[in-house]
Amino acid sequence: MDIKLSKLVSPRTTYAFAEVDKQVAALKAQGVQVIDFGVGDPKDPTPDFVIHALNEASRIYAASGYPSYIGAPFFRSAAADYLRRMYGVEIDPETEVSSTIGSKESVFHFPRAFIDPGDVVICPTPGYPPYKVGTIYAGGIPYFVPLTEKTDFLIDLEAIPADICAKAKIIWTNYPNSPTGKLAPRDWLEKLAEWAHQHNIIIAADEGCYHDIYFGAEKPLSMLEVTKEGVVVFYSLSKGFNMTGYRVGFVAGDARIIDAFRKVKTQMDSGTPTFIQHAAMVALQDTAFVAQNREMYRQKRALMLEALQSAGLPACENEGTFYIWQKAPQGMTGEELAQRLLKLGIVVTPGQWISDPTAEGFNPGEHYVRIALVPTLTEIEEACQRLKKSTL
């Protein structure tokens, strides 16, 4: 029997982080003590107060049946209250919030609400792969804008051609940025809002995985602090609360956009389990753990930055997120640097794997690796010892 894949599936490359998992498994099979900085999955546990809330909720909602497609009212209210406390923005939980099964699901499915075949979606590169793949599965065409040192890892809006602006329906932004660690200043966000309104382009701001992880005196800004019109923000509890396995988050913003997203979501899934939404509600009400978690990443970051430089790598610094966007030495690609680190039992993600060539054929991740500060502090200390004994 000849089984043929669809045109959507057959040309797709393997998901980049699945390749990282393969490398880790192969090294472990060889008996190597692996320290995995590849996939952004925290090794530290979910805080006890969230686990306690989860256990309690599993009894409260033992016979609750299918969850709400768009989120239980208590969870949507908690999300709106979180945005009010953090950023001073007013969000109506009835019309301007929807729960999501984490960020990946919502990012992937979002274009289906607005994209017809041939429409353009502007995607940053390097960037989260579902920006691109979700666009393609919706029938759209991704247009890649590079994030480079030259532009301070901000999207150069003026460099986007007029014909692309005319065809584009969505622009993805991601600040605090994965993988560069860049925070977006207010003047750039204001410029983005003016540009997007001028061209009638929806701003899809994927900002909430890392908003609680920053290292300066001031917390990152939300796009909602500039404008709600034509804006949707994506939030997840995966990274700030070590809840990657819970698969829970939310989107918020312009009621027209949220309404369209809800219509797609209702057809695609049955929602996040209600008892998990309860645990997430409790997490969103917290402030102490978030601050503690941020300080832990600050410590991990300081150790790694020092060790990387002692190993002969160029100096770099991330303003936020738990990623280090490490440049390779002169004349070396990110893949080559990743292979050298593998010999030390240190797994990282080559920047080329999470970047796409621009219209000019330039891949902005070619000479970088992404280092996710997710191993435990003890593992990071061991990695630093290995780096300090080596020359890369």
Side-chain angles (χ1 to χ4, degrees), residues 2 30 147 155 170 182 257 291 311 332-333 337 342 346 375:
D2 185 17
Q30 298 169 24
L147 305 180
I155 296 173
I170 299 168
K182 175 68 181 178
I257 298 174
M332 186 187 300
T333 68
L337 175 57
L342 268 181
I346 295 173

Side-chain angles (χ1 to χ4, degrees), residues 47 49 240 286-298:
F49 75 92
D286 170 78
T287 55
F289 177 78
V290 166
Q292 174 187 330
N293 212 31
R294 181 164 53 249
E295 289 308 308
M296 177 193 66
Y297 282 119
R298 188 189 303 275

Side-chain angles (χ1 to χ4, degrees), residues 35 37 300-313 324 326 337-338 340-348 369 371 373 379-392:
I35 304 175
F37 293 88
K300 289 181 176 182
R301 167 181 175 265
L303 289 170
M304 281 299 292
L305 289 176
E306 179 190 4
L308 290 164
Q309 288 188 52
S310 71
L313 296 180
I324 295 173
Q326 177 63 59
L337 175 57
R340 293 194 183 190
L341 289 168
L342 268 181
K343 293 178 181 179
L344 303 178
I346 295 173
V347 178
V348 300
V369 297
I371 301 171
L373 298 173
E379 289 175 320
I380 285 183
E381 289 172 340
E382 169 61 25
C384 289
Q385 290 301 315
R386 296 182 192 181
L387 285 165
K388 289 178 178 179
K389 293 176 182 178
S390 68
T391 300
L392 298 170

